[in-house]
Amino acid sequence: MGMNTVWSKPMRRLSSQILICLLLFGVALPLFAQDSGGQLWVQSFEDRNGNGQRDAGEPFLTRGVSVDLLNASGVVMASGTLDGAPYANQGFVGFLYLDSGTYTVAIISPDLRANTPDRVEVTITAGAAPITVLYGAQRVASVESLATSESSSLLNSELARVAFSGFAALIVIGVMAFLGVVIYTLVLRRRYQTEMKRYTTGSMRAARADETGEAARTETYARARTYETVEEEDEEV
């Protein structure tokens, strides 16, 4: 009798411990099932060079980005923002415990210009590895600066092209002028000298037009004077 009394207390204690374990297991089972749901993360970065990929040296965005999660019917199921998010220092906005299915991620950043798609459709499978969507964007000031730099580069290229064309034109003009001088020296000048020799052959000097005219007038005047003298002599006879 005493022996039965001694074993009855440990058995009751063991029974109580088993009951507590069963209760804890019953509570933890739904939580475990909930933890096994799908996960979706959106990671935002500053795409400084605008190529749509995160390159070395490009930092994560830590504010100014909000994300809406839509189900297959287009209904917003959840929303999150980078401002104050637990993992904002890594650019993450996350959605946990998602049921299996198709979802659409809508990313909004009023002060940024997206270089990657801002609406992405994903398929979530409960218990599978988390899905990460990368979102790259540029600040508006950076976009304007990049556009100004591209315009300046284009202008400099156009000016260089015009300057090169002008320099090439000067070279062509110089070459043509040189060829003209050579042609004149070798051909036209010799032909001119030959023509001059043809008209100045003999011992008499070629008279200019004004000199020839003056000589003709002098000869006419001399002939007139001679005729008058002859007439006077005839009258005296």
Side-chain angles (χ1 to χ4, degrees):
M1 182 68 177
M3 187 174 181
N4 292 335
T5 304
V6 172
W7 284 101
S8 62
K9 290 183 178 179
M11 290 297 295
R12 287 196 301 269
R13 186 178 302 173
L14 180 61
S15 298
S16 299
Q17 292 176 353
I18 293 174
L19 180 62
I20 293 173
C21 290
L22 291 175
L23 291 174
L24 290 176
F25 180 77
V27 173
L29 184 61
L31 294 177
F32 178 78
Q34 190 176 16
D35 283 340
S36 65
Q39 298 183 22
L40 173 63
W41 296 89
V42 176
Q43 189 175 35
S44 304
F45 65 94
E46 185 178 353
D47 189 14
R48 291 179 174 177
N49 58 8
N51 65 352
Q53 300 177 355
R54 184 171 183 266
D55 300 316
E58 292 183 337
F60 294 112
L61 294 172
T62 58
R63 59 185 178 83
V65 177
S66 60
V67 183
D68 291 335
L69 183 65
L70 292 74
N71 61 14
S73 301
V75 178
V76 177
M77 298 182 56
S79 298
T81 61
L82 266 179
D83 304 69
Y87 302 102
N89 61 337
Q90 295 295 319
F92 279 115
V93 174
F95 301 94
L96 308 178
Y97 314 129
L98 299 176
D99 295 333
S100 298
T102 301
Y103 297 86
T104 299
V105 177
I107 307 170
I108 305 169
S109 52
D111 298 331
L112 302 169
R113 191 188 75 172
N115 295 323
T116 58
D118 55 4
R119 292 183 68 89
V120 180
E121 185 177 288
V122 296
T123 300
I124 299 297
T125 301
I131 294 178
T132 301
V133 175
L134 285 177
Y135 173 72
Q138 284 179 291
R139 301 189 185 280
V140 176
S142 299
V143 174
E144 294 177 352
S145 176
L146 181 61
T148 302
S149 176
E150 291 178 352
S151 299
S152 178
S153 177
L154 181 61
L155 178 61
N156 293 335
S157 177
E158 187 67 19
L159 290 176
R161 187 183 66 82
V162 172
F164 178 78
S165 299
F167 181 71
L170 290 176
I171 292 177
V172 172
I173 293 173
V175 171
M176 293 181 66
F178 175 76
L179 291 176
V181 172
V182 171
I183 293 173
Y184 171 77
T185 302
L186 298 179
V187 180
L188 298 180
R189 187 175 180 182
R190 290 184 178 180
R191 182 177 299 176
Y192 176 76
Q193 291 175 350
T194 302
E195 293 293 334
M196 289 298 296
K197 288 180 180 180
R198 181 183 302 174
Y199 288 105
T200 57
T201 302
S203 60
M204 294 182 62
R205 181 179 63 86
R208 295 183 302 177
D210 55 348
E211 292 177 350
T212 304
E214 184 65 27
R217 287 194 297 272
T218 303
E219 184 178 357
T220 301
Y221 178 74
R223 288 179 180 179
R225 292 293 298 170
T226 303
Y227 179 75
E228 291 176 358
T229 304
V230 170
E231 286 184 349
E232 290 178 356
E233 289 178 355
D234 289 340
E235 290 178 357
E236 288 179 359
V237 174

